[in-house]
Amino acid sequence: MHDTTALLVELGSVILGLGLIGRFAGRIGLSPIPLYLLAGLAFGEGGLLPLGASEEFTAVGAEIGVILLLLLLGLEYSASELVTSLKTQYPSGAVDFVLNATPGAVAALLLGWGPVGAVALAGVTWISSSGVIAKVLTDLGRLGNRETPVILGVLVIEDLSMAVYLPLLTAMLAGVGLAGGSIALLIALGTVGFVLYLALRHGRLISRAVSSDNPEMLLLVVLGLTVLVAGVAQELQVSAAVGAFLVGIALSGEVAEGARKLLTPLRDLFAAVFFVFFGLSTNPAEIPPVLLPAALLAVVTVLTKIATGWYAARRAGIGSRGRWRAGGTLVARGEFSIVIAGLAVATEPRIGPIATAYVLILVIVGPLTARWTQPVVAKIQAWRGKDVNTGKDVNTSKGGATGKGGSTGKGGATGKGDSAGDGGGGEVPAVRPAPTAQEELAPDRL
């Protein structure tokens, strides 16, 4: 078969297969990411039917997929939102990093991967999947819940941290040494600060320069600018993904909204190609030996993510049930864990199989923990004789109708706590809109 014919047949079959897989995942309420990875494993090295003619095209498509993922992520946020999240959520972000990056780093060192592997696997276990979590919140009808802004705040901090983490990882993978890594980090920090300044002060001018009433022209300008900036960023050892993310942040208003609508289908296509390519580059025979360490790492980081969400919600004065819901929702890992592993796999090939197994586990477990963490904790607390709202013993005076947890005590409607009693327990924001009577009575918002 002619090379071009083979390319078209393979490429058409892959894209058609991805479409069918995506439809099937939607019907069963599952993220398509694990199915894309499994498809890549099936048609990669050591798989059922290895692809040869389309491998080079798929590799380029995977690079574009990473760029579009980060561009669309940047378009979701304005510079002012990022600055606000940094000011209010940085303690939660620090706890998130310590609790969730540490298990990955420790696991890599125990496996003998060295510092570069430790930094890479730390990133894999640290970053939650914004895409999966957003879909879960929508499916469960929790977008209006009091804990949802806390969840989104943690995700924003993680996403912005990528602008610092990815250049550092890229420098370490390139073996540039401490001095070169420090320079790359300084360049990244300076670039992020400069872009945020431009977006805050001159965002309208930038958007006006890119804006066009013609959708075709807007698509070409934004996509071309993004790929160009990504290439320049890659040359400066800052990471192409970070360059794309910063372009997204710099655009705002109607331009950002229009670009998001135009680029979302392209993002979905090339992101699917990226996940397939990552699966293609992983030998399925290498996964069974790492299933046990991947499962152990998944168990540990499920618990640490739940703890992260609980702490972040507690700082915001959310009640006990909202804290557990926040923790369970943050568990899912997905696209950015694979992006990090994809960057590192050329230098540390052993990260590919364990990252694939780890993401496959948590992208499936994540929606389950989001749905069931709070009900399971409530049942355990009820069995132990604890109040499901406050976690306190129902037989003590604090849990009585007139005690501190009652309607007239510290945890009541006029006290320091939230509507769930004295369960607020942490720093309460200085300004927070009072919930309506319906919100106070709605059990899903406690």
Side-chain angles (χ1 to χ4, degrees), residues 57-70 223 227 266-267 270-271 274:
F57 180 90
T58 306
V60 176
E63 292 286 344
I64 296 174
V66 174
I67 290 171
L68 289 177
L69 275 170
L70 271 294
L223 184 59
V227 175
L266 281 177
R267 188 270 316 268
F270 284 103
F274 166 73

Side-chain angles (χ1 to χ4, degrees), residues 245-263:
F245 179 65
L246 295 177
V247 171
I249 292 175
L251 301 178
S252 60
E254 294 182 0
V255 173
E257 182 65 26
R260 187 160 54 244
K261 290 180 180 179
L262 292 171
L263 289 167

Side-chain angles (χ1 to χ4, degrees), residues 1-20 43 49-62 64 269-270 272-274 276-277 280:
M1 188 182 293
H2 193 272
D3 288 347
T4 303
T5 304
L7 171 63
L8 293 175
V9 170
E10 284 190 6
L11 192 58
S13 300
V14 168
I15 294 175
L16 176 60
L18 292 177
L20 296 175
F43 295 103
L49 186 62
L51 302 177
S54 60
E55 184 176 355
E56 185 175 347
F57 180 90
T58 306
V60 176
I64 296 174
L269 168 63
F270 284 103
V273 171
F274 166 73
V276 170
F277 177 74
L280 290 173

Side-chain angles (χ1 to χ4, degrees), residues 245-327:
F245 179 65
L246 295 177
V247 171
I249 292 175
L251 301 178
S252 60
E254 294 182 0
V255 173
E257 182 65 26
R260 187 160 54 244
K261 290 180 180 179
L262 292 171
L263 289 167
T264 294
L266 281 177
R267 188 270 316 268
D268 294 341
L269 168 63
F270 284 103
V273 171
F274 166 73
F275 294 122
V276 170
F277 177 74
F278 186 83
L280 290 173
S281 62
T282 304
N283 190 335
E286 297 176 350
I287 291 182
V290 300
L291 276 177
L292 180 58
L296 291 174
L297 193 57
V299 170
V300 171
T301 51
V302 163
L303 298 176
T304 54
K305 271 295 181 184
I306 290 175
T308 298
W310 191 95
Y311 170 79
R314 181 180 183 273
R315 285 192 71 249
I318 307 300
S320 177
R321 286 187 286 183
R323 298 175 196 175
W324 291 113
R325 283 197 299 268

